[in-house]
Amino acid sequence: MKKVPTLDIRRYDSDRAAFVAELGNAYREYGFCCISGHGIPRELIDGAYDSFQQFFALPKETKMKYHIAGSGGARGYTPYKVETAKDSKFADLKEFWHVGREIPRDSKFADVMPPNIWPAEISDFKQNGYGLFEALDQLGSRVLRALALHIELPEHFFDDKIDQGNSILRPIHYPPITEENIPNVRAGAHEDINFITLLVGASAEGLEVLTREGEWLPITTEGDAIVVNIGDMLQRLTNHVYPSTSHRVVNPQNDNARKPRYSVPYFLHPNPDVVLDPLPQTITAENPSRYNTSITSHEYLLERLREIKLI
């Protein structure tokens, strides 16, 4: 029975060579791995979930105050049934919020990374939301160090390529499904756009990943594990050595469909000016370069946001 492995990231310090090999193999096979032993306090995760649930429970007109029309949902609130998976006819059954990186407003990236907005109604939303953003950002940079070593890059290769990354923390609310035979799913099959995604809260059923054999494999986590998967930008940069695999959130076929589902992915992006051309270390006779055009991560992001109807 195939299963996406769970690896304890503390082994990066105690058992590095074996950990890096196992992690690299998990990503080459599935594009996904579950990471435990990360040290993000349970209180921070629970506190953030609590703040997010309080926000989604507000009246629609209150939430819509934080919807910035024409921004592609880069910050603030995106209402139910707006985002649509690429090539899908039906909008996803979800509403969400975006928290971005806090950067100095005189930064060279200020024009593409707008300031955050925070809901005044939820007093600890900013503290909890940004606390979780920073914790997942740090964990993501640790995972990328191991991924760098696995493909013979220097350990800190990615550090200066993500320190101003246009990353997003996205609390999602999938409301209870009350209609029978609804054609929409909670999140249609898609690949992520960014470098890597760290998902807190995959303990609820529904998340499935497409295997190489073309079968949908359910992922549910145990204990403190966080699901970490490869996005299209890292797939491009590594010439598909690390694959960005299709995944979806299906509607439960039991009473859980009538319960709300919450999840919080952190989309770790490179800095907007990073060029996503395949790295020489990933180009071989068996795996020749798959791209003959150059593109920056920001250009790539805009191209993809247009496809999923967010801009």
Side-chain angles (χ1 to χ4, degrees):
M1 180 64 192
K2 286 199 144 193
K3 191 174 184 207
V4 172
T6 298
L7 297 176
D8 188 323
I9 197 166
R10 288 172 293 196
R11 291 176 52 212
Y12 185 73
D13 296 316
S14 61
D15 183 25
R16 181 166 298 180
F19 173 79
V20 166
E22 287 172 45
L23 186 83
N25 289 334
Y27 282 115
R28 285 173 186 260
E29 175 65 27
Y30 295 108
F32 272 74
C33 187
C34 303
I35 302 290
S36 64
H38 48 72
I40 297 177
R42 187 77 246 172
E43 307 79 62
L44 174 59
I45 293 170
D46 290 348
Y49 261 81
D50 193 50
S51 297
F52 302 152
Q53 289 177 9
Q54 286 178 45
F55 172 77
F56 289 122
L58 292 170
K60 185 176 178 182
E61 54 273 21
T62 307
K63 291 186 284 194
M64 287 303 287
K65 289 193 312 197
Y66 300 103
H67 177 53
I68 305 171
S71 71
R75 300 290 181 269
Y77 176 65
T78 295
Y80 189 55
K81 277 195 182 177
V82 168
E83 185 168 78
T84 305
K86 188 174 150 186
D87 305 326
S88 176
K89 295 189 197 61
F90 300 104
D92 289 345
L93 302 178
K94 65 187 184 197
E95 57 180 343
F96 54 88
W97 181 278
H98 275 180
V99 176
R101 186 181 301 281
E102 297 274 336
I103 58 168
R105 293 328 299 167
D106 58 359
S107 158
K108 64 179 174 179
F109 300 131
D111 57 331
V112 299
M113 292 167 64
N116 279 307
I117 56 176
W118 303 103
E121 293 78 6
I122 315 294
S123 58
D124 51 6
F125 190 105
K126 177 178 179 178
Q127 183 187 344
N128 287 332
Y130 206 68
L132 188 57
F133 181 107
E134 292 187 308
L136 291 169
D137 196 45
Q138 286 159 12
L139 176 60
S141 66
R142 290 166 68 195
V143 172
L144 282 168
R145 284 172 198 155
L147 287 173
L149 290 175
H150 181 68
I151 53 172
E152 322 261 302
L153 292 168
E155 178 187 9
H156 294 283
F157 177 81
F158 290 109
D159 289 15
D160 65 353
K161 296 169 186 63
I162 59 172
D163 57 350
Q164 297 291 303
N166 191 9
S167 303
I168 294 284
L169 184 75
R170 174 191 271 195
I172 305 173
H173 171 223
Y174 303 97
I177 297 165
T178 50
E179 300 167 50
E180 296 294 325
N181 303 323
I182 189 163
N184 316 61
V185 292
R186 284 181 156 173
H190 65 283
E191 298 80 45
D192 291 347
I193 301 172
N194 41 297
F195 250 6
I196 58 172
T197 301
L198 296 89
L199 177 69
V200 182
S203 53
E205 67 191 302
L207 178 64
E208 297 183 342
V209 57
L210 192 61
T211 65
R212 287 176 184 275
E213 293 74 34
E215 289 168 8
W216 288 103
L217 184 66
I219 299 183
T220 50
T221 55
E222 284 149 34
D224 70 340
I226 286 174
V227 178
V228 184
N229 65 278
I230 307 292
D232 287 349
M233 290 185 187
L234 190 61
Q235 171 177 266
R236 194 184 200 280
L237 191 68
T238 63
N239 202 32
H240 294 231
V241 170
Y242 291 135
S244 171
T245 34
S246 200
H247 51 285
R248 65 186 184 182
V249 180
V250 296
N251 307 339
Q253 296 304 307
N254 54 29
D255 285 350
N256 289 340
R258 303 205 180 327
K259 295 179 191 159
R261 182 180 191 273
Y262 297 90
S263 76
V264 184
Y266 177 70
F267 300 112
L268 189 150
H269 281 256
N271 301 355
D273 58 355
V274 169
V275 177
L276 301 173
D277 293 358
L279 297 164
Q281 292 85 344
T282 63
I283 298 170
T284 60
E286 302 78 56
N287 188 31
S289 178
R290 296 162 188 254
Y291 300 92
N292 55 11
T293 55
S294 232
I295 193 166
T296 66
S297 67
H298 186 64
E299 291 160 349
Y300 189 87
L301 175 64
L302 294 179
E303 199 175 278
R304 292 291 302 276
L305 290 177
R306 284 191 279 271
E307 285 176 356
I308 59 171
K309 304 184 171 53
L310 277 184
I311 55 173

